[in-house]
Amino acid sequence: MSARIIAVSNQKGGVGKTTSAVSLATALAVAGHRVLLVDLDPQGHATLALGFDKSALTISIYEVLAEDLSAQSAIAQSRVPHLQVLPANQHAAGLELLLGQVEQRETKLRDALAPLRDRYDYILIDCPPSLGLLTLNALTAAQSVLVPLQCEFLALEGLAQLMQTIQLVRGRLNPGLRLEGVLLTMYDGRTNLTREIEREVRAYFQAPPSGLGLPRTPGAVFQTVIPRSVRLAEAPSHGIPISEYDPGSTGALAYATLAQEVLAHG
Ligand code: ATP
Ligand code: MG
């Protein structure tokens, strides 16, 4: 059995990528699956959210992608059983620029993860808020993309560009890449705005605008929505995933339900 690799991506900042990557990875591990979380964002927020001290890490995703160290040498066990992390440290800030200068620049991550695929059931990649080379590496390495969308004004802005990038990667680098699902985050069902955005997003994937080259993808939007929750926002500052910080909270339960939906995808 070889790991299913899922990139968590949206070039828009602050939409819940890291929260989703960390919380879903944790929920899958709690459900008994072997999970690797790859922190591909030079901000290193996923690394911090799991309680690692970035400045104390001597080997990280930077050394793996830029200096060809083995991914295995950088992997650390997290506080959650079955959940390991390929972390980012301060060096990672130079990664995007450096990747531009190397050979096989889009397949670096795929190659680095190849020897690890039989050790995990799921590999999740937390992407930076851009469509640069790091994200291209994630989309090339992954089998599917999970796209968090914040239930706010302009939620759909930039989505067409992301879908075009996915198409481009499909055409040139990774023909099997598919959409794992769109995840509505920071959902507040009491507001008209949230409900309006949900309707709009679900309609978009039922009948995507022509010219995008997107197949109609009913079911592309996860049934599970992630509620706006103070507990989810607090957990990372303690370096503890939500499943431990407040297991009974609405946020923890939502990510556990999302994990079941992802597992049902096969
Ligand atoms: P970036 O683009 O900078 O990487 P991101 O897309 O990874 O951001 P997060 O870091 O996950 O987004 O979330 C942005 C902010 O919103 C964080 O402060 C986070 O704690 C908070 N947040 C995320 N999800 C929720 C939620 N469901 N309810 C409340 N706050 C949330
Ligand atoms: Mg992030």
Side-chain angles (χ1 to χ4, degrees), residues 12-19 41 43 129 186 226-229 232-233:
K12 219 167 163 173
V15 297
K17 290 181 290 294
T18 301
T19 305
D41 184 353
Q43 296 179 103
M186 305 186 216
I226 307 300
R228 186 171 277 288
S229 145
L232 275 175

Side-chain angles (χ1 to χ4, degrees), residues 10-21 41 43 45 126-130 148 150 184-187 226-236 251 255:
N10 184 340
Q11 77 275 22
K12 219 167 163 173
V15 297
K17 290 181 290 294
T18 301
T19 305
S20 298
D41 184 353
Q43 296 179 103
H45 288 167
D126 185 27
C127 293
S130 81
Q150 187 181 355
L184 297 170
T185 64
M186 305 186 216
Y187 188 95
I226 307 300
R228 186 171 277 288
S229 145
V230 175
R231 305 299 269 167
L232 275 175
E234 284 170 355
Y255 278 109

Side-chain angles (χ1 to χ4, degrees), residues 36-38 59-65 67-76 84-87 108-117 119-120 123:
L36 176 67
L37 177 61
V38 178
I59 307 182
S60 78
I61 188 73
Y62 177 87
E63 284 71 22
V64 173
L65 297 184
E67 296 171 4
D68 290 328
L69 262 68
S70 76
Q72 184 57 43
S73 64
I75 286 173
Q84 300 192 324
V85 185
L86 178 41
K108 277 271 169 199
L109 182 64
R110 176 164 76 191
D111 298 343
L113 295 180
L116 295 174
R117 286 196 60 186
R119 299 210 196 152
Y120 297 98
I123 299 179

